[in-house]
Amino acid sequence: MMLKYKLILLTILLFAGFASPAQQTRISAKLEKDSILIGDQITFDLLFTGPAKAKVNWPVFQDTLTSEIEIINSSGLDSARKNNLLELSQQYTITSFDSGTHSIGPFRIAFNMPDDTTSYIGISDIQDLHVLTVPVDTTKAIKPIKGPMDAPLTFAEILPWLLTGIGLLIIAAAIWYYTYARKRAKPLIPVRQKPKLPPHIQALNDLEQLKQKKLWQEGKLKEYYTELTDIIRIYIEERFDIMAMEMTSFEIMEHLQALHPDGESLEKIASTFSLADMVKFAKEKPLPSDNDTSWLNAKYFVENSFRRKEENEPEEENKALTEKVQKENE
Amino acid sequence: MKETDIKELNERIQKESAFVDMLNLEMHKVIIGQKHMLESMLIGLLSNGHILLEGVPGLAKTLAIKSLARTIEAKYSRIQFTPDLLPADLLGTMVYSQKKEEFQVKKGPIFANFILADEINRSPAKVQSALLEAMQEKQITIGENTYSLDEPFLVMATQNPLEQEGTYPLPEAQVDRFMLKVIINYPTKDEEKHIIRENITGAFPETKAIIKPTDILKARGIVREVYLDEKIENYITDIVFATRYPAENKLKKFDGMISYGGSPRASINLALAAKAFAFIKRRGYVIPEDIRAVAYDVMRHRIGLTYEAEAENITTEDIISEILNTVEVP
C-alpha cells in the first residue's frame, strides 16, 4: 500500500516537472469597454504569453476583425521577455457601424518550439461587443442633414494676417508722422527752440528799441507811430488774447474796456491810438513832447497791465520763465 | 497835401456837412428806425453812386426816397417794374403831334433826380439794361437827340428776397454797377410800436426842404477831397484781393467757395463810400473804421459764391466778416 502511494506521488512530481509548452501559453483578448455607440472608436488588445523560445505565427488582420468590426488603426507588434516567458501584444483601434452584439474571437495563435516539429495553438477568449444605435424620437419632424462643422482657427492661420496688419499700421503711422511734421514745418528730428519771451518783456524791449531808432527825431513820424501802435497791438493780442492786429483802434478800446478796467491806463493808451491814427491817416504832425508822451503812455500801459496781472494772479512760473529768458539773452 | 490842407479841409467839412444832421433829423420825422438805410442813401447821394435795396415789402423804401427828394427839393419818380414794361416806358419816346405835324419827344419817368426802381428784377433784361445804361452814362438818347439827366441823379432799385418765381435776376455785370447793396431789416419792437401809433392817429409829419440839389453837388466835390492815405489804399486792396485769392490771404477755408471776387469797381467804390462816410462823420480823412463800416454794402453783391459754398450755407456776409477779421488793419 505504501508503495502504491509512492508511485502516485512520483508520477505527479514527474508530470509537474515537465509541463508541455501549450500549458505555459495564454492568449488574452481585451476590449476597452464592452458597449459603444454606433461609430464610436475603442481599443482592442491582443496579448500572447508563452514559452520564451516559441516561434509565434502572429495573426495579420487587414481592415476588419470580423465582418462587422472595422480596424481604424493598429499599433506595431510589441514583444517582451519576462520570467522566461515571451509576451507579444498588439493594440487595435476598432469601430462598428452595425448595431447589435458582435463576438470577437476566439483568435487562434499557432507557435512552434525549437527541435520540436509539433505545432502548438493557443486560443483566446471570446469577447462580446454591444454596438448601440442613437435613440430616434419618431414623434418629431425629420431635420435636414447638419452642415459641416467649422474647424477652429489656429494661430498659424491667423499669423500672416496679423503680420500684414501690423505692417500696414506701421506704414500708415510713418506716412502720418511724415506729413504732420511737414505740415507744421517741423523737422523729423526736433531741435530745441529758444523759449519765447513773455509779452510784457517783449513789448518793453521793442519799445526800448523803438526809442533808440530815433524815428520821429528824423522826421519819420508815420513809421514811428506805426511801429509804436504795432508793438502795443501785438502786446494786447498776446496778453489779452484779443485779435488786435485785425481790429481798428476803436474796436481795440471797446475790447480793452471790458477786460482791463483801469481808467488811467486806458485813457492814456486811447489818446495814443487816437494820435497815432491822426498821424497815420491824416498827416498830423504832433509836437515832440506829444511823441514822447505817446511812448511813455505805451510803456505805462504795458507795465500797468502786467502789474495788474501779477497782483490778480501771481505767477511764480511766469517770473521764473522771465528770469530764465533774461539769463539766456545775457 | 500839406498838414494845413487837412486841417483846413476838416474845418470846411465841419461847416459844409452841417446839413447832414439837419437832413437826418428831418428824415427821422417820417422814417422811424432804418438808420442804416438812410445812412446808405446819403452815402450814395454824396458819392454819386446808386443803391440796390433788398428787403421785404413794407419797410418804408418808397417813403424814404420820397422824403429825401423832398428835403433836397429834388424831382422824384417811382417806376414799378413789371414783366410787360418796355424801355420806352422808362426812358421816353417820340410821339406824333397832329397839331404841329411832327414827332415830339415825350420824356420818361427816368428824367428825375431820385428814381425808385421798384422790384427791378420783375422786368426783362432789355428794360434793366436801359436803366443801368442810363445810370452809367447819365444821359438818354431818344430818336436823334441825346439828353443829359439831371444832377444829382440817384437810382434806388429794390428787390424782394422772398419771391423769385417769374423774375429776371440781374446779371453780375449789371449788379456791379450799383455802388451799394443794402439789406433792409425789420424795425425793432419799439420802432414798430411807434409806427403803429403814427398810423392809427393818422398824424403823418411831412418833411420840408433843407437844401437844394446844388448843395449836394457842392458837397460831392468836398467828399472827393477827403484825404485817403496810402495805408488805407493798401487796406482796401488787401480786402479786395482777399476776395479774389482767399488761399493766399490766410483764408484757405474759402478756397473753392468763391467763384469770383470783387472787381476794381469794388476797390473804387470802397474808397468813395468810405470818403462819403467820413464826410458824414464830419472828418476830412478816412480811417479804417470807415472802410469796415461800408465794406458789407459795397462788397456783398460783388462776391460770387460757388455751389459748394451755397451747399454749406456760406453767405457773402460770412466771407466779408472773415476777411475783415483776417486782414491786418493798418
Side-chain angles (χ1 to χ4, degrees):
Chain A
M1 188 70 185
M2 194 67 182
L3 184 68
K4 189 182 170 183
Y5 283 119
K6 280 180 181 175
L7 281 170
I8 292 167
L9 185 66
L10 186 69
T11 309
I12 290 166
L13 287 171
L14 187 70
F15 277 92
F18 299 95
S20 73
Q23 285 173 323
Q24 289 179 311
T25 305
R26 193 161 54 87
I27 309 286
S28 147
K30 194 181 165 194
L31 279 168
E32 188 186 345
K33 53 186 180 180
D34 60 359
S35 61
I36 60 167
L37 202 61
I38 191 162
D40 269 0
Q41 295 175 7
I42 52 166
T43 55
F44 168 69
D45 293 291
L46 188 61
L47 179 70
F48 168 87
T49 310
K53 291 181 179 175
K55 288 183 178 175
V56 182
N57 290 321
W58 190 260
V60 176
F61 301 104
Q62 293 296 320
D63 297 328
T64 53
L65 277 183
T66 67
S67 57
E68 295 87 10
I69 297 170
E70 293 175 21
I71 297 170
I72 308 289
N73 195 13
S74 62
S75 68
L77 186 62
D78 192 17
S79 62
R81 287 176 203 278
K82 281 182 193 169
N83 304 328
N84 208 26
L85 286 172
L86 172 67
E87 274 188 13
L88 293 173
S89 68
Q90 191 166 15
Q91 194 175 61
Y92 304 90
T93 305
I94 58 166
T95 186
S96 177
F97 296 102
D98 286 323
S99 61
T101 302
H102 310 299
S103 294
I104 301 173
F107 296 106
R108 293 165 190 275
I109 299 175
F111 64 94
N112 294 93
M113 293 301 292
D115 305 330
D116 187 355
T117 55
T118 314
S119 184
Y120 301 98
I121 291 173
I123 300 170
S124 74
D125 298 335
I126 297 172
Q127 297 287 325
D128 284 337
L129 178 65
H130 305 286
V131 179
L132 309 170
T133 56
V134 179
V136 178
D137 190 351
T138 52
T139 57
K140 289 186 178 168
I142 295 168
K143 291 177 183 172
I145 297 165
K146 205 173 176 182
M149 285 172 74
D150 290 330
L153 276 175
T154 61
F155 183 70
E157 284 173 316
I158 299 169
L159 191 63
W161 294 100
L162 202 67
L163 289 174
T164 312
I166 291 169
L168 286 173
L169 275 176
I170 291 168
I171 292 166
I175 292 168
W176 176 83
Y177 181 75
Y178 179 70
T179 48
Y180 178 76
R182 278 198 63 169
K183 207 172 173 182
R184 295 193 58 187
K186 204 171 113 185
L188 286 172
I189 302 156
V191 181
R192 201 170 156 235
Q193 301 241 324
K194 204 176 167 184
K196 207 179 166 189
L197 283 168
H200 66 286
I201 299 283
Q202 185 67 56
L204 291 172
N205 285 350
D206 291 345
L207 282 172
E208 204 54 49
Q209 280 175 17
L210 176 67
K211 196 179 182 182
Q212 282 161 12
K213 280 185 191 173
K214 295 186 185 298
L215 287 172
W216 68 262
Q217 288 90 336
E218 291 169 15
K220 294 175 182 170
L221 276 167
K222 221 174 188 178
E223 286 88 337
Y224 174 72
Y225 276 94
T226 304
E227 277 195 34
L228 184 67
T229 48
D230 280 355
I231 291 167
I232 299 301
R233 283 156 78 189
I234 290 167
Y235 170 71
I236 290 169
E237 198 157 294
E238 291 181 3
R239 163 72 179 82
F240 297 99
D241 204 19
I242 297 170
M243 288 168 60
M245 289 305 284
E246 289 79 27
M247 285 182 185
T248 63
S249 305
F250 180 75
E251 287 168 339
I252 294 170
M253 290 314 299
E254 261 189 347
H255 279 82
L256 277 180
Q257 269 157 5
L259 292 170
H260 182 70
D262 177 1
E264 194 190 350
S265 179
L266 282 185
E267 215 171 273
K268 285 184 177 209
I269 205 70
S271 78
T272 301
F273 273 131
S274 173
L275 183 62
D277 279 353
M278 290 290 286
V279 175
K280 286 193 283 182
F281 311 124
K283 289 194 167 184
E284 177 80 12
K285 286 188 177 165
L287 295 168
S289 59
D290 289 338
N291 300 333
D292 278 335
T293 309
S294 295
W295 187 89
L296 288 169
N297 284 350
K299 195 178 176 200
Y300 180 82
F301 174 75
V302 173
E303 285 174 342
N304 184 267
S305 57
F306 171 66
R307 267 204 299 277
R308 284 184 70 84
K309 186 181 177 175
E310 287 289 287
E311 282 162 17
N312 294 338
E313 24 178 303
E315 280 183 36
E316 288 301 320
E317 200 183 318
N318 194 12
K319 203 182 275 178
L321 181 66
T322 309
E323 283 168 6
K324 190 183 167 191
V325 171
Q326 277 175 339
K327 269 182 193 171
E328 279 193 20
N329 285 344
E330 281 164 18
Chain B
M1 194 177 280
K2 290 177 187 174
E3 178 203 341
T4 48
D5 286 337
I6 290 185
K7 275 191 178 164
E8 185 263 332
L9 183 66
N10 265 336
E11 279 164 19
R12 253 199 307 148
I13 285 173
Q14 287 289 332
K15 196 176 146 196
E16 297 292 339
S17 64
F19 75 88
V20 173
D21 291 341
M22 288 160 68
L23 208 72
N24 273 329
L25 211 66
E26 204 60 28
M27 291 292 283
H28 281 298
K29 272 189 195 170
V30 287
I31 310 286
I32 297 155
Q34 302 298 1
K35 199 180 160 207
H36 179 67
M37 180 178 70
L38 296 176
E39 204 169 65
S40 302
M41 280 167 68
L42 260 178
I43 291 172
L45 190 65
L46 291 168
S47 50
N48 200 11
H50 306 285
I51 303 164
L52 182 62
L53 286 174
E54 198 171 277
V56 293
L59 294 180
K61 297 185 284 277
T62 313
L63 184 62
I65 197 157
K66 216 168 163 178
S67 306
L68 185 66
R70 202 172 289 154
T71 53
I72 304 174
E73 263 189 80
K75 202 177 161 194
Y76 154 81
S77 277
R78 178 180 180 276
I79 308 160
Q80 180 65 48
F81 277 56
T82 53
D84 59 349
L85 195 76
L86 295 169
D89 299 332
L90 189 73
L91 309 176
T93 188
M94 303 285 284
V95 178
Y96 184 73
S97 166
Q98 285 187 331
K99 193 178 170 188
K100 292 183 180 175
E101 293 183 339
E102 62 178 15
F103 279 96
Q104 283 187 328
V105 173
K106 176 143 177 65
K107 288 180 179 175
I110 202 158
F111 287 89
N113 297 108
F114 296 106
I115 310 287
L116 178 67
D118 219 355
E119 296 193 275
I120 190 171
N121 54 346
R122 294 238 171 254
S123 277
K126 58 185 176 182
V127 186
Q128 291 174 359
S129 297
L131 175 71
L132 294 163
E133 205 179 318
M135 280 161 56
Q136 190 73 18
E137 307 295 329
K138 306 269 171 77
Q139 62 179 31
I140 305 287
T141 303
I142 304 169
E144 289 174 357
N145 303 314
T146 300
Y147 302 92
S148 292
L149 293 170
D150 296 342
E151 285 285 357
F153 178 67
L154 173 73
V155 174
M156 209 164 90
T158 71
Q159 277 190 155
N160 183 345
L162 302 178
E163 295 162 18
Q164 296 300 318
E165 208 172 326
T167 60
Y168 302 87
L170 291 171
E172 285 82 16
Q174 295 192 347
V175 175
D176 197 32
R177 295 187 188 192
F178 286 98
M179 181 185 206
L180 309 172
K181 181 179 178 182
V182 182
I183 305 288
I184 309 174
N185 290 315
Y186 289 110
T188 62
K189 274 188 177 179
D190 283 342
E191 287 164 359
E192 191 123 354
K193 273 195 286 184
H194 202 150
I195 293 166
I196 294 169
R197 278 182 215 142
E198 278 207 349
N199 275 268
I200 287 173
T201 55
F204 298 113
E206 282 201 359
T207 52
K208 59 183 180 194
I210 304 287
I211 49 169
K212 291 182 177 170
T214 48
D215 296 326
I216 293 294
L217 297 179
K218 195 178 164 192
R220 276 184 185 176
I222 301 171
V223 166
R224 284 199 173 266
E225 281 181 46
V226 169
Y227 176 67
L228 187 87
D229 194 82
E230 199 186 337
K231 276 179 178 287
I232 301 290
E233 285 173 3
N234 291 339
Y235 187 46
I236 290 172
T237 50
D238 284 348
I239 290 170
V240 175
F241 267 68
T243 66
R244 295 177 199 163
Y245 315 109
E248 292 167 25
N249 291 277
K250 300 180 206 166
L251 288 162
K252 210 168 183 184
K253 64 176 174 180
F254 290 139
D255 205 16
M257 300 284 182
I258 301 172
S259 59
Y260 59 89
S263 66
R265 261 200 202 119
S267 305
I268 297 165
N269 286 318
L270 211 46
L272 284 174
K275 280 187 172 200
F277 190 79
F279 179 86
I280 292 169
K281 297 291 170 192
R282 309 181 85 168
R283 250 185 291 109
Y285 56 94
V286 176
I287 55 172
E289 273 94 340
D290 302 332
I291 305 291
R292 290 168 86 97
V294 297
Y296 289 91
D297 289 349
V298 173
M299 294 206 301
R300 65 160 58 93
H301 55 299
R302 293 188 161 96
I303 297 171
L305 298 176
T306 59
Y307 290 117
E308 285 86 353
E310 279 170 17
E312 290 188 23
N313 283 332
I314 291 173
T315 60
T316 49
E317 280 83 1
D318 295 333
I319 291 173
I320 297 165
S321 295
E322 204 58 40
I323 288 172
L324 293 180
N325 288 333
T326 308
V327 173
E328 276 190 17
V329 175

